[in-house]
Amino acid sequence: MVMDMAGPSNRYHYNPYLKEKARTLRSNMTKSEVVLWKHGLRAGQMMGLTFNRQRPVLDYIADFMCKEILLIIEIDGISHHFSEVSEKDVVRQERLEEAGFTVLRIPTGEVLQCRRKVIQLIQRQCEVLKV
């Protein structure tokens, strides 16, 4: 099955059925998500780009999403080391990439311990995609 590329015409594959779950997740963000949001992604801090938190897309909820450059940022906690979770992550990433998104996966420990380095990594990715 060939998937439509994400764009304004399909609302970037927004999934309204996950709206309430996304709202709950936004209210209960992990520490690493809060740190990244507060220090790098909120209110146009990242090169003037708009990021959404906990954005329903396809059958998933992306931790952070920038529609303008089709970037999804996933913060991977310890559970992502388990084989059943990492296998689902592979499928999830493939589906998101089929829809035209670039997926950037960052371990939660890196966000908490190397915040500036992570923000620079995201900025470099944004620069590449903005061209």
Side-chain angles (χ1 to χ4, degrees):
M1 175 176 95
V2 176
M3 184 178 309
D4 291 343
M5 295 301 280
S9 64
N10 57 25
R11 298 180 64 209
Y12 301 91
H13 292 294
Y14 177 77
N15 184 340
Y17 299 106
L18 295 174
K19 180 180 179 178
E20 290 306 315
K21 182 171 171 94
R23 182 176 287 147
T24 300
L25 289 171
R26 274 192 300 277
S27 303
N28 299 294
M29 290 172 58
T30 65
K31 184 176 180 181
S32 55
E33 290 170 342
V34 170
V35 165
L36 191 54
W37 180 248
K38 181 178 177 185
H39 296 285
L41 300 179
R42 184 178 74 187
Q45 293 178 71
M46 183 61 64
M47 302 171 58
L49 295 168
T50 301
F51 281 84
N52 299 107
R53 300 176 291 153
Q54 308 301 334
R55 174 62 157 65
V57 56
L58 300 174
D59 295 326
Y60 313 106
I61 299 176
D63 292 336
F64 300 100
M65 178 179 155
C66 178
K67 294 182 242 179
E68 296 148 277
I69 57 173
L70 298 180
L71 175 63
I72 290 178
I73 300 171
E74 290 292 321
I75 308 302
D76 291 344
I78 191 83
S79 66
H80 294 266
H81 295 294
F82 298 116
S83 61
E84 63 273 6
V85 176
S86 63
E87 290 168 9
K88 288 180 183 178
D89 285 345
V90 169
V91 172
R92 172 187 179 122
Q93 185 158 339
E94 286 173 354
R95 290 208 54 229
L96 290 167
E97 288 174 350
E98 281 176 25
F101 293 99
T102 297
V103 179
L104 186 58
R105 304 193 84 82
I106 304 169
T108 190
E110 283 190 34
V111 174
L112 298 175
Q113 296 166 9
C114 310
R115 181 182 76 217
R116 285 191 178 103
K117 180 179 146 192
V118 167
I119 290 170
Q120 289 172 347
L121 170 75
I122 295 169
Q123 185 172 0
R124 283 192 300 273
Q125 187 67 61
C126 290
E127 289 169 353
V128 167
L129 295 172
K130 220 174 169 183
V131 174

